[in-house]
Amino acid sequence: MSDYFQSIAKVEFEGKDTRNPLAFKYYNPKQKVLEKTIEDHLRMAVCYWHTFNWPGNDPFGGQTFLRPWMDHQDAIHQATDKMENAFSFFDKLDIPYFCFHDVDIAPEGNNFNETELIQKKIVDLISKKLETSKVKLLWGTANLFSHRRYMAGAATNPNPEIFQYAAAQVKMCIENTHYLGGQNYVLWGGREGYETILNTNMKQEFDQLGRFLSLVAEHKHKIGFKGNLLIEPKPHEPTKHQYDFDSANVFAFLQKYGLEKEFKLNIEVNHAILAKHSFEHEIAYALANDIFGSIDINRGDYLVGWDTDQFPNNTEELLLPFYYLFKNQGLGSGGLNMDAKIRRQSIDPEDLFYAHIGAMDTCARTLLAVERMINDGSYEDFLQKRYENWTHDKELMSSTSLEGIYEKVKSENINPQPQSGRQEYLENLLNSFIE
Ligand code: XUL
Ligand code: CO
């Protein structure tokens, strides 16, 4: 194997004053924060597709990254060399998790049976590598959107043969994920949506998607997979109208098909922004409805309206969503998957390290700020006080009637006075926790 990362040593924590760009400044994996280590809280994952597969193309130009494994003529050789390099990267970064799509780890064959054999071969090799590496599989997923057969969707395709092909692909992928000890299984909507309503029967497509998800849930139980099934909302791109628009939309869909207990959400930061929400909105929504599962941690670009999938580097933007999470249940069996790619001019091996180190540092720095915020308690006090009167007014939520309320307003001469929402105070308060 050609070790593409040969020149880079294992990344160590050196503290925030280090000038070494290949060291962690905040991400000290074994440091205890809120009763657990930083590593165990954050459960950070490298994504295979952007980090090892993406060649640096954009709509105006092709490959800029010349990774050695990309040159091999033989597809299996390409996959195994890529895998060896991926594990070298995982080990040097000391990352606890990774994520993949089936087609990221191994090429497709000429038909389903061939693809299955190739997948099995690479999955077995990965399984061997997992025995000696610390890294574990956070989640697997099937790519049901790149191949031309899926151009009009997978589960929502007008052709039932494509539905079946996609279902068989998910069966294979969820079983491989289970075999590799994967902790979750993700379904991103891919091309489940439409370009024009002119050629689309929406009700039919909804029923197909509902049926598809039911089949996946049924199979999960059949094979004894204990991980969460996760749906990843995204409003647009690649289709103009994606069916899994945002968390609320997915929750409504799941309830319609009786699946709200079977699926949770994988929330991606920039997908929230593209839906004209904030990331904290999506997290708060998922927590409030008990459907939070995991996170794809990246950022977009405020000047462009598409999914630029950049590495996170802004603690201020992550503070509130991380507070909601770590104040409550934390990430559970989910994690922070760096579904992010370096820029196409960042062509050197160290660029991949700078990106991941920066992201892990940003997340650790945010977690440390969350700890300060929790220990300080004034934010929580503010929220509690704002809703406090509801604790004295229990009958409003249960026993009273509209008439009863009317009588009370009249007899007690209820005359409520508005109170400040204190937004600026809160914004300043939050900023004060970042160090
Ligand atoms: C697409 C996206 C996907 C999913 C996995 O925008 O985020 O990479 O995370 O299919
Ligand atoms: Co994603």
Side-chain angles (χ1 to χ4, degrees), residues 287-303:
L287 290 171
N289 291 291
D290 199 20
I291 48 165
F292 174 80
S294 195
I295 289 176
D296 273 8
I297 191 94
N298 56 23
R299 78 191 143 103
D301 183 309
Y302 290 111
L303 300 185

Side-chain angles (χ1 to χ4, degrees), residues 42 297 318-326 336 363 366-367 370:
L42 297 179
I297 191 94
L318 296 179
L319 183 54
L320 200 48
F322 274 30
Y323 178 79
Y324 294 152
L325 281 170
F326 295 109
L336 300 175
C363 293
T366 311
L367 181 66
V370 166

Side-chain angles (χ1 to χ4, degrees), residues 49-50 101 139 141-143 145 186-190 232 234 237-238 266 268 271 296 298 307 309 337 339:
W49 51 103
H50 291 321
H101 298 86
W139 50 261
T141 188
N143 179 324
F145 45 89
V186 165
L187 293 119
W188 165 54
E232 183 176 320
K234 183 175 186 181
E237 202 198 90
N266 185 42
E268 179 160 324
H271 294 178
D296 273 8
N298 56 23
D307 205 8
D309 278 331
N337 169 42
D339 189 0

